Amino acid sequence: MSSGSGVKQIAEDPDFTHRVLEVKFRGGVLDTPTRAYDARLASRNATIEPEKGTLFECYTKSGGSTVNERITDKSKETDHSYALQSVQRATGGSPLILLQEYTETSYPPEKQLQYLVRVAHAYSDFVLPPLVSRITDNIDAGRGTDKYIAFVKHALDVIEKFNKKPVMGVIPLKLPFVRIEDLVEAYVSRGVRAFCLDFAASKPETPRPSVEQVLFALADQEVLDETYLHAINVSPGRPRTNTTAALCHNILSFGYGIDSYGDLHRTRMKVEGEADIKPTPPRLFSRRDYGDYLAKSAFVVGKIRATKTKVPIGKLWSDKEVAKVFNAEQQALEAAGLRGIVKENRGVGAHLGSKKFVGQHDVRAMNSLARNVRHRLHR
């Protein structure tokens, strides 16, 4: 049964990890770099039509009792299927990655695991094992990780019993550094060539050693050039609420070896005893300078100067859902622009250097990572 995703590298920047891939799935070919839209937001804002070939992702959360209801009560199963069908229709035939978070502190029982895998196969263009962040966020390097890798291997067994779609492995970047290579090898040995890296609400530069370890492990297995890397839960940063504009960090993900990424699905954890935080306006991404601007007025929207958009942001700038769709659109357009720069060998470094909010230290960090990875590839 299918596990590889048919990845072909078309071009790469000589100084950075930005690259162009063609990733095959059953419905066609996905071009990277790209930025995924939240499919649920797209379904709720159906008048906003994303570009053809856009990547979508859908992030769901369910506990053991909810999953058990769905596998024992046909009406509950049907309701969930209808909801996912609606999300699937919103993609318009573009690729969809369904991410299923199992919210317990134990692994799903066998029948629940089988159901989650079958749901992934039915509605997602890439089949992923369930995410178990409440386990992997606080896992130890010994028996805890041994159990997680055993769970992954068993999930792959369940997937491979009946599967006609590419498998996407899950790499939680909160996994202890010393065990990342073991997890990557477990997937690669089963023919998996697409991975989902969970940044757990960190900026792309924060878990750099762990990201590099993923890249190094793939390079050691001689499969990096035929592997597709998608990132989830990458934070754009948390500037102070009174900061007018600040660097949008997640757009730099492509400089840390990532081929695509989506929205931040994890919410900010509230600290006990912390004062209530007043609601703040949404932030809007500007391709012009990579800034995230606090949308306090229509005047600010004008400063962003989006030369191309299908989102009525000028009228709905205070609507947080519309703002998320706008940011996904603008970052997807920027990703398409980067694709052209890499293909035509115009130099990503000069492009990044022209962005006001990208510091020289950011450029040096991304360039350094690319040098380290290429040294590993060609040693």
Side-chain angles (χ1 to χ4, degrees), residues 313-340:
I313 197 65
K315 296 179 180 178
L316 301 173
W317 51 267
S318 61
D319 186 312
K320 291 194 174 184
E321 280 204 357
V322 174
K324 282 186 176 182
V325 176
F326 173 79
N327 289 338
E329 175 201 54
Q330 292 301 299
Q331 291 169 22
L333 290 170
E334 178 62 18
L338 287 167
R339 199 183 309 149

PDB file of all heavy atoms in Angstrom, residues 313-340:
ATOM      1  N   ILE A 313     -10.752  42.772   3.056  1.00  0.00           N
ATOM      2  CA  ILE A 313     -10.145  43.185   4.319  1.00  0.00           C
ATOM      3  C   ILE A 313     -10.369  44.672   4.599  1.00  0.00           C
ATOM      4  O   ILE A 313     -10.400  45.094   5.752  1.00  0.00           O
ATOM      5  CB  ILE A 313      -8.632  42.837   4.328  1.00  0.00           C
ATOM      6  CG1 ILE A 313      -8.074  42.873   5.750  1.00  0.00           C
ATOM      7  CG2 ILE A 313      -7.847  43.716   3.379  1.00  0.00           C
ATOM      8  CD1 ILE A 313      -8.642  41.818   6.669  1.00  0.00           C
ATOM      9  N   GLY A 314     -10.543  45.468   3.548  1.00  0.00           N
ATOM     10  CA  GLY A 314     -10.778  46.896   3.745  1.00  0.00           C
ATOM     11  C   GLY A 314     -12.038  47.185   4.514  1.00  0.00           C
ATOM     12  O   GLY A 314     -12.124  48.175   5.251  1.00  0.00           O
ATOM     13  N   LYS A 315     -13.041  46.302   4.384  1.00  0.00           N
ATOM     14  CA  LYS A 315     -14.312  46.485   5.094  1.00  0.00           C
ATOM     15  C   LYS A 315     -14.375  45.670   6.382  1.00  0.00           C
ATOM     16  O   LYS A 315     -15.063  46.050   7.326  1.00  0.00           O
ATOM     17  CB  LYS A 315     -15.476  46.069   4.192  1.00  0.00           C
ATOM     18  CG  LYS A 315     -15.643  46.928   2.943  1.00  0.00           C
ATOM     19  CD  LYS A 315     -16.805  46.406   2.106  1.00  0.00           C
ATOM     20  CE  LYS A 315     -16.987  47.242   0.843  1.00  0.00           C
ATOM     21  NZ  LYS A 315     -18.094  46.720  -0.006  1.00  0.00           N
ATOM     22  N   LEU A 316     -13.666  44.530   6.419  1.00  0.00           N
ATOM     23  CA  LEU A 316     -13.799  43.600   7.543  1.00  0.00           C
ATOM     24  C   LEU A 316     -12.484  43.436   8.303  1.00  0.00           C
ATOM     25  O   LEU A 316     -12.175  42.357   8.805  1.00  0.00           O
ATOM     26  CB  LEU A 316     -14.286  42.237   7.019  1.00  0.00           C
ATOM     27  CG  LEU A 316     -15.622  42.242   6.272  1.00  0.00           C
ATOM     28  CD1 LEU A 316     -15.906  40.875   5.668  1.00  0.00           C
ATOM     29  CD2 LEU A 316     -16.760  42.653   7.200  1.00  0.00           C
ATOM     30  N   TRP A 317     -11.692  44.503   8.383  1.00  0.00           N
ATOM     31  CA  TRP A 317     -10.357  44.406   8.982  1.00  0.00           C
ATOM     32  C   TRP A 317     -10.387  44.023  10.464  1.00  0.00           C
ATOM     33  O   TRP A 317      -9.407  43.492  10.995  1.00  0.00           O
ATOM     34  CB  TRP A 317      -9.602  45.717   8.802  1.00  0.00           C
ATOM     35  CG  TRP A 317     -10.348  46.944   9.247  1.00  0.00           C
ATOM     36  CD1 TRP A 317     -11.126  47.750   8.479  1.00  0.00           C
ATOM     37  CD2 TRP A 317     -10.391  47.500  10.571  1.00  0.00           C
ATOM     38  NE1 TRP A 317     -11.663  48.773   9.224  1.00  0.00           N
ATOM     39  CE2 TRP A 317     -11.216  48.649  10.520  1.00  0.00           C
ATOM     40  CE3 TRP A 317      -9.805  47.153  11.783  1.00  0.00           C
ATOM     41  CZ2 TRP A 317     -11.483  49.442  11.630  1.00  0.00           C
ATOM     42  CZ3 TRP A 317     -10.067  47.941  12.899  1.00  0.00           C
ATOM     43  CH2 TRP A 317     -10.891  49.060  12.832  1.00  0.00           C
ATOM     44  N   SER A 318     -11.504  44.251  11.160  1.00  0.00           N
ATOM     45  CA  SER A 318     -11.568  43.928  12.589  1.00  0.00           C
ATOM     46  C   SER A 318     -12.073  42.504  12.854  1.00  0.00           C
ATOM     47  O   SER A 318     -12.078  42.052  14.004  1.00  0.00           O
ATOM     48  CB  SER A 318     -12.478  44.920  13.315  1.00  0.00           C
ATOM     49  OG  SER A 318     -13.799  44.852  12.809  1.00  0.00           O
ATOM     50  N   ASP A 319     -12.490  41.789  11.808  1.00  0.00           N
ATOM     51  CA  ASP A 319     -13.001  40.423  11.947  1.00  0.00           C
ATOM     52  C   ASP A 319     -11.806  39.461  11.994  1.00  0.00           C
ATOM     53  O   ASP A 319     -11.061  39.334  11.018  1.00  0.00           O
ATOM     54  CB  ASP A 319     -13.914  40.091  10.763  1.00  0.00           C
ATOM     55  CG  ASP A 319     -14.594  38.734  10.903  1.00  0.00           C
ATOM     56  OD1 ASP A 319     -13.897  37.762  11.221  1.00  0.00           O
ATOM     57  OD2 ASP A 319     -15.807  38.658  10.661  1.00  0.00           O
ATOM     58  N   LYS A 320     -11.623  38.782  13.121  1.00  0.00           N
ATOM     59  CA  LYS A 320     -10.428  37.950  13.289  1.00  0.00           C
ATOM     60  C   LYS A 320     -10.385  36.768  12.333  1.00  0.00           C
ATOM     61  O   LYS A 320      -9.307  36.364  11.885  1.00  0.00           O
ATOM     62  CB  LYS A 320     -10.321  37.477  14.739  1.00  0.00           C
ATOM     63  CG  LYS A 320      -9.991  38.613  15.709  1.00  0.00           C
ATOM     64  CD  LYS A 320      -9.553  38.117  17.066  1.00  0.00           C
ATOM     65  CE  LYS A 320      -9.090  39.286  17.931  1.00  0.00           C
ATOM     66  NZ  LYS A 320      -8.560  38.865  19.237  1.00  0.00           N
ATOM     67  N   GLU A 321     -11.547  36.191  12.003  1.00  0.00           N
ATOM     68  CA  GLU A 321     -11.553  35.084  11.045  1.00  0.00           C
ATOM     69  C   GLU A 321     -11.149  35.572   9.661  1.00  0.00           C
ATOM     70  O   GLU A 321     -10.354  34.921   8.987  1.00  0.00           O
ATOM     71  CB  GLU A 321     -12.937  34.422  10.997  1.00  0.00           C
ATOM     72  CG  GLU A 321     -13.190  33.457  12.115  1.00  0.00           C
ATOM     73  CD  GLU A 321     -14.254  32.421  11.767  1.00  0.00           C
ATOM     74  OE1 GLU A 321     -14.830  32.492  10.661  1.00  0.00           O
ATOM     75  OE2 GLU A 321     -14.483  31.534  12.597  1.00  0.00           O
ATOM     76  N   VAL A 322     -11.708  36.688   9.242  1.00  0.00           N
ATOM     77  CA  VAL A 322     -11.353  37.247   7.932  1.00  0.00           C
ATOM     78  C   VAL A 322      -9.876  37.612   7.909  1.00  0.00           C
ATOM     79  O   VAL A 322      -9.179  37.396   6.909  1.00  0.00           O
ATOM     80  CB  VAL A 322     -12.237  38.461   7.602  1.00  0.00           C
ATOM     81  CG1 VAL A 322     -11.776  39.131   6.313  1.00  0.00           C
ATOM     82  CG2 VAL A 322     -13.699  38.039   7.472  1.00  0.00           C
ATOM     83  N   ALA A 323      -9.368  38.145   9.021  1.00  0.00           N
ATOM     84  CA  ALA A 323      -7.944  38.496   9.103  1.00  0.00           C
ATOM     85  C   ALA A 323      -7.065  37.255   8.938  1.00  0.00           C
ATOM     86  O   ALA A 323      -6.027  37.304   8.269  1.00  0.00           O
ATOM     87  CB  ALA A 323      -7.652  39.179  10.434  1.00  0.00           C
ATOM     88  N   LYS A 324      -7.482  36.128   9.527  1.00  0.00           N
ATOM     89  CA  LYS A 324      -6.703  34.894   9.381  1.00  0.00           C
ATOM     90  C   LYS A 324      -6.675  34.427   7.933  1.00  0.00           C
ATOM     91  O   LYS A 324      -5.634  33.974   7.430  1.00  0.00           O
ATOM     92  CB  LYS A 324      -7.293  33.797  10.275  1.00  0.00           C
ATOM     93  CG  LYS A 324      -6.927  33.929  11.744  1.00  0.00           C
ATOM     94  CD  LYS A 324      -7.437  32.717  12.526  1.00  0.00           C
ATOM     95  CE  LYS A 324      -7.012  32.779  13.972  1.00  0.00           C
ATOM     96  NZ  LYS A 324      -7.461  31.592  14.735  1.00  0.00           N
ATOM     97  N   VAL A 325      -7.834  34.519   7.261  1.00  0.00           N
ATOM     98  CA  VAL A 325      -7.883  34.122   5.852  1.00  0.00           C
ATOM     99  C   VAL A 325      -7.006  35.063   5.021  1.00  0.00           C
ATOM    100  O   VAL A 325      -6.269  34.622   4.120  1.00  0.00           O
ATOM    101  CB  VAL A 325      -9.335  34.129   5.327  1.00  0.00           C
ATOM    102  CG1 VAL A 325      -9.371  33.804   3.838  1.00  0.00           C
ATOM    103  CG2 VAL A 325     -10.187  33.128   6.094  1.00  0.00           C
ATOM    104  N   PHE A 326      -7.066  36.365   5.313  1.00  0.00           N
ATOM    105  CA  PHE A 326      -6.235  37.339   4.602  1.00  0.00           C
ATOM    106  C   PHE A 326      -4.753  37.025   4.794  1.00  0.00           C
ATOM    107  O   PHE A 326      -3.974  37.027   3.824  1.00  0.00           O
ATOM    108  CB  PHE A 326      -6.544  38.749   5.111  1.00  0.00           C
ATOM    109  CG  PHE A 326      -5.636  39.817   4.562  1.00  0.00           C
ATOM    110  CD1 PHE A 326      -5.833  40.335   3.294  1.00  0.00           C
ATOM    111  CD2 PHE A 326      -4.566  40.292   5.317  1.00  0.00           C
ATOM    112  CE1 PHE A 326      -4.991  41.318   2.782  1.00  0.00           C
ATOM    113  CE2 PHE A 326      -3.715  41.273   4.816  1.00  0.00           C
ATOM    114  CZ  PHE A 326      -3.933  41.785   3.553  1.00  0.00           C
ATOM    115  N   ASN A 327      -4.344  36.744   6.024  1.00  0.00           N
ATOM    116  CA  ASN A 327      -2.933  36.450   6.284  1.00  0.00           C
ATOM    117  C   ASN A 327      -2.493  35.183   5.562  1.00  0.00           C
ATOM    118  O   ASN A 327      -1.389  35.134   5.002  1.00  0.00           O
ATOM    119  CB  ASN A 327      -2.699  36.314   7.787  1.00  0.00           C
ATOM    120  CG  ASN A 327      -2.783  37.644   8.514  1.00  0.00           C
ATOM    121  OD1 ASN A 327      -2.611  38.695   7.908  1.00  0.00           O
ATOM    122  ND2 ASN A 327      -3.058  37.601   9.813  1.00  0.00           N
ATOM    123  N   ALA A 328      -3.362  34.154   5.574  1.00  0.00           N
ATOM    124  CA  ALA A 328      -3.022  32.925   4.850  1.00  0.00           C
ATOM    125  C   ALA A 328      -2.865  33.211   3.359  1.00  0.00           C
ATOM    126  O   ALA A 328      -1.928  32.725   2.713  1.00  0.00           O
ATOM    127  CB  ALA A 328      -4.104  31.865   5.080  1.00  0.00           C
ATOM    128  N   GLU A 329      -3.774  34.018   2.810  1.00  0.00           N
ATOM    129  CA  GLU A 329      -3.712  34.361   1.391  1.00  0.00           C
ATOM    130  C   GLU A 329      -2.424  35.110   1.058  1.00  0.00           C
ATOM    131  O   GLU A 329      -1.715  34.768   0.089  1.00  0.00           O
ATOM    132  CB  GLU A 329      -4.916  35.214   1.018  1.00  0.00           C
ATOM    133  CG  GLU A 329      -4.868  35.729  -0.427  1.00  0.00           C
ATOM    134  CD  GLU A 329      -5.757  36.934  -0.632  1.00  0.00           C
ATOM    135  OE1 GLU A 329      -5.621  37.918   0.119  1.00  0.00           O
ATOM    136  OE2 GLU A 329      -6.578  36.901  -1.565  1.00  0.00           O
ATOM    137  N   GLN A 330      -2.111  36.133   1.854  1.00  0.00           N
ATOM    138  CA  GLN A 330      -0.929  36.944   1.568  1.00  0.00           C
ATOM    139  C   GLN A 330       0.363  36.143   1.724  1.00  0.00           C
ATOM    140  O   GLN A 330       1.298  36.283   0.935  1.00  0.00           O
ATOM    141  CB  GLN A 330      -0.909  38.174   2.478  1.00  0.00           C
ATOM    142  CG  GLN A 330      -2.029  39.170   2.185  1.00  0.00           C
ATOM    143  CD  GLN A 330      -1.989  39.693   0.764  1.00  0.00           C
ATOM    144  OE1 GLN A 330      -1.004  40.309   0.353  1.00  0.00           O
ATOM    145  NE2 GLN A 330      -3.044  39.451  -0.006  1.00  0.00           N
ATOM    146  N   GLN A 331       0.407  35.273   2.726  1.00  0.00           N
ATOM    147  CA  GLN A 331       1.598  34.442   2.912  1.00  0.00           C
ATOM    148  C   GLN A 331       1.705  33.374   1.821  1.00  0.00           C
ATOM    149  O   GLN A 331       2.807  33.014   1.399  1.00  0.00           O
ATOM    150  CB  GLN A 331       1.593  33.839   4.307  1.00  0.00           C
ATOM    151  CG  GLN A 331       1.821  34.885   5.394  1.00  0.00           C
ATOM    152  CD  GLN A 331       1.560  34.388   6.791  1.00  0.00           C
ATOM    153  OE1 GLN A 331       1.581  33.188   7.062  1.00  0.00           O
ATOM    154  NE2 GLN A 331       1.296  35.313   7.707  1.00  0.00           N
ATOM    155  N   ALA A 332       0.551  32.884   1.341  1.00  0.00           N
ATOM    156  CA  ALA A 332       0.573  31.937   0.218  1.00  0.00           C
ATOM    157  C   ALA A 332       1.067  32.617  -1.051  1.00  0.00           C
ATOM    158  O   ALA A 332       1.821  32.027  -1.846  1.00  0.00           O
ATOM    159  CB  ALA A 332      -0.825  31.352   0.003  1.00  0.00           C
ATOM    160  N   LEU A 333       0.656  33.860  -1.268  1.00  0.00           N
ATOM    161  CA  LEU A 333       1.142  34.613  -2.425  1.00  0.00           C
ATOM    162  C   LEU A 333       2.645  34.861  -2.315  1.00  0.00           C
ATOM    163  O   LEU A 333       3.382  34.777  -3.303  1.00  0.00           O
ATOM    164  CB  LEU A 333       0.393  35.943  -2.536  1.00  0.00           C
ATOM    165  CG  LEU A 333      -1.080  35.859  -2.954  1.00  0.00           C
ATOM    166  CD1 LEU A 333      -1.758  37.215  -2.778  1.00  0.00           C
ATOM    167  CD2 LEU A 333      -1.205  35.389  -4.402  1.00  0.00           C
ATOM    168  N   GLU A 334       3.097  35.179  -1.101  1.00  0.00           N
ATOM    169  CA  GLU A 334       4.532  35.386  -0.893  1.00  0.00           C
ATOM    170  C   GLU A 334       5.303  34.095  -1.141  1.00  0.00           C
ATOM    171  O   GLU A 334       6.383  34.107  -1.749  1.00  0.00           O
ATOM    172  CB  GLU A 334       4.795  35.896   0.521  1.00  0.00           C
ATOM    173  CG  GLU A 334       6.262  36.107   0.868  1.00  0.00           C
ATOM    174  CD  GLU A 334       6.954  37.155   0.006  1.00  0.00           C
ATOM    175  OE1 GLU A 334       6.262  37.983  -0.638  1.00  0.00           O
ATOM    176  OE2 GLU A 334       8.201  37.154  -0.034  1.00  0.00           O
ATOM    177  N   ALA A 335       4.737  32.966  -0.704  1.00  0.00           N
ATOM    178  CA  ALA A 335       5.384  31.671  -0.942  1.00  0.00           C
ATOM    179  C   ALA A 335       5.498  31.388  -2.438  1.00  0.00           C
ATOM    180  O   ALA A 335       6.522  30.887  -2.921  1.00  0.00           O
ATOM    181  CB  ALA A 335       4.603  30.559  -0.251  1.00  0.00           C
ATOM    182  N   ALA A 336       4.450  31.723  -3.188  1.00  0.00           N
ATOM    183  CA  ALA A 336       4.493  31.543  -4.642  1.00  0.00           C
ATOM    184  C   ALA A 336       5.565  32.434  -5.259  1.00  0.00           C
ATOM    185  O   ALA A 336       6.259  32.036  -6.203  1.00  0.00           O
ATOM    186  CB  ALA A 336       3.128  31.854  -5.252  1.00  0.00           C
ATOM    187  N   GLY A 337       5.707  33.653  -4.722  1.00  0.00           N
ATOM    188  CA  GLY A 337       6.767  34.540  -5.198  1.00  0.00           C
ATOM    189  C   GLY A 337       8.147  33.972  -4.916  1.00  0.00           C
ATOM    190  O   GLY A 337       9.055  34.039  -5.761  1.00  0.00           O
ATOM    191  N   LEU A 338       8.334  33.391  -3.737  1.00  0.00           N
ATOM    192  CA  LEU A 338       9.607  32.756  -3.393  1.00  0.00           C
ATOM    193  C   LEU A 338       9.890  31.575  -4.316  1.00  0.00           C
ATOM    194  O   LEU A 338      11.044  31.331  -4.697  1.00  0.00           O
ATOM    195  CB  LEU A 338       9.570  32.278  -1.937  1.00  0.00           C
ATOM    196  CG  LEU A 338       9.644  33.369  -0.868  1.00  0.00           C
ATOM    197  CD1 LEU A 338       9.285  32.804   0.503  1.00  0.00           C
ATOM    198  CD2 LEU A 338      11.036  34.001  -0.829  1.00  0.00           C
ATOM    199  N   ARG A 339       8.825  30.871  -4.693  1.00  0.00           N
ATOM    200  CA  ARG A 339       8.976  29.748  -5.630  1.00  0.00           C
ATOM    201  C   ARG A 339       9.602  30.231  -6.937  1.00  0.00           C
ATOM    202  O   ARG A 339      10.522  29.606  -7.485  1.00  0.00           O
ATOM    203  CB  ARG A 339       7.607  29.131  -5.886  1.00  0.00           C
ATOM    204  CG  ARG A 339       7.607  27.726  -6.457  1.00  0.00           C
ATOM    205  CD  ARG A 339       6.180  27.279  -6.732  1.00  0.00           C
ATOM    206  NE  ARG A 339       5.323  27.462  -5.567  1.00  0.00           N
ATOM    207  CZ  ARG A 339       4.037  27.731  -5.629  1.00  0.00           C
ATOM    208  NH1 ARG A 339       3.429  27.855  -6.800  1.00  0.00           N
ATOM    209  NH2 ARG A 339       3.332  27.885  -4.526  1.00  0.00           N
ATOM    210  N   GLY A 340       9.116  31.360  -7.433  1.00  0.00           N
ATOM    211  CA  GLY A 340       9.666  31.920  -8.668  1.00  0.00           C
ATOM    212  C   GLY A 340      11.105  32.361  -8.506  1.00  0.00           C
ATOM    213  O   GLY A 340      11.938  32.161  -9.404  1.00  0.00           O
TER     214      GLY A 340
END
